[in-house]
Amino acid sequence: MEGIAQGRVLVVEDVHEVQALLVASLAAGGYSATGVADARGMRQAMDAGRFDVVLLDLRLPDADGLGLARALRQKSDIGIIMVSSHGAPHERARGLEAGADDYIAKPVYPRELLARVRNVFERGKRPRRAPGRSFAGWVLDKENRLLSRQDSGDAAGLTRAEFDLLCVLADRPGQIVSRETLAAFLGVNVAGPNPRNIDVLVSRIRKKLAVDGDEAAVIKTCRGYGYRFAAKIDG
């Protein structure tokens, strides 16, 4: 299968056989993949080099994967994909709430792995149009992938997936956009056992962009269908 050259992926997995399979699958797909077995190894690898995406096991011998994801997201917009043997919807939701861009359940199939890594990796490379649009006290700079406050310039701290979802809605102000359409743009799975991915992302965006305590001021829910960008956009 064809991959994308120059993409660097860090695989954090304590089971040697699984780590080796993930690294080999990524290498076969054209990525530069590095494997480590624990949180300590992850920190050392990230101190030594730059990575585009991290495959992070939910349970590690020296740390909780969710805690690592939260800490990583606070200081970086690196792509994060949680990996776990538990594929229950609530486990997936917890991973997304911790700041992950996507979630993949074990056993991991190479084709699905490459597709999910590719989707997350490409989010940071897609060309963006019309920078500098403002709404509800925020400035959306798609060129530099930044959402900041108009008054202070402080960044909203959106993840890659959150930023991309916001852009899809902001490009269609007033229009109802289905969860399936949003998922297609983001490369996120909403079918089968994982229907809450889009809802979790919207919830995270709303908390960060609440206007006077109203978390639904910018993005409105259209029950039974999807979401609508409700704020007035200038520019």
Side-chain angles (χ1 to χ4, degrees):
M1 175 176 291
E2 293 185 0
I4 300 173
Q6 290 87 43
R8 301 194 62 194
V9 183
L10 177 62
V11 177
V12 187
E13 168 60 59
D14 62 313
V15 179
H16 175 73
E17 293 79 5
V18 176
Q19 181 193 123
L21 173 62
L22 295 174
V23 169
S25 297
L26 289 164
Y31 295 93
S32 172
T34 300
V36 297
D38 49 31
R40 180 182 179 183
M42 170 182 147
R43 297 187 184 99
Q44 291 175 340
M46 296 192 76
D47 286 342
R50 180 191 63 81
F51 295 91
D52 302 292
V53 177
V54 174
L55 287 179
L56 181 57
D57 191 38
L58 189 61
R59 291 175 175 82
L60 295 169
D62 60 345
D64 171 43
L66 292 176
L68 288 175
R70 292 190 189 95
L72 186 58
R73 179 55 69 223
Q74 289 178 357
K75 62 181 181 180
S76 172
D77 68 346
I78 190 172
I80 302 174
I81 301 177
M82 301 300 299
V83 182
S84 174
S85 57
H86 299 275
H90 73 277
E91 288 283 1
R92 295 171 183 263
R94 288 177 63 201
L96 294 171
E97 289 167 350
D101 294 281
D102 204 351
Y103 190 110
I104 187 168
K106 298 176 183 177
V108 178
Y109 298 97
R111 184 173 180 178
E112 179 185 8
L113 170 67
L114 292 175
R116 291 188 181 277
V117 170
R118 183 182 300 112
N119 285 337
V120 171
F121 178 66
E122 287 187 332
R123 286 174 190 161
K125 297 178 62 180
R126 294 173 187 164
R128 302 292 171 178
R129 300 174 299 162
R133 304 167 74 188
S134 61
F135 64 90
W138 296 93
V139 176
L140 180 64
D141 183 348
K142 297 171 71 176
E143 178 98 5
N144 296 300
R145 297 185 59 80
L146 179 66
L147 182 71
S148 58
R149 292 189 179 276
Q150 281 183 297
D151 53 1
S152 64
D154 293 338
L158 298 182
T159 68
R160 292 185 185 186
E162 291 167 1
F163 189 90
D164 286 337
L165 189 150
L166 180 64
C167 287
V168 173
L169 290 172
D171 283 342
R172 297 158 180 79
Q175 298 181 26
I176 300 174
V177 184
S178 70
R179 290 175 176 82
E180 291 74 20
T181 298
L182 291 170
F185 273 98
L186 272 66
V188 173
N189 179 27
V190 295
N194 194 15
R196 291 190 58 213
N197 283 358
I198 296 298
D199 296 336
V200 170
L201 289 174
V202 169
S203 177
R204 281 166 29 184
I205 295 171
R206 281 174 165 169
K207 290 178 181 179
K208 296 177 181 181
L209 307 188
V211 177
D212 296 328
D214 182 4
E215 294 185 359
V218 174
I219 302 175
K220 299 290 186 183
T221 299
C222 301
R223 296 192 180 279
Y225 193 75
Y227 295 97
R228 175 173 60 86
F229 191 89
K232 180 182 178 181
I233 296 182
D234 298 318

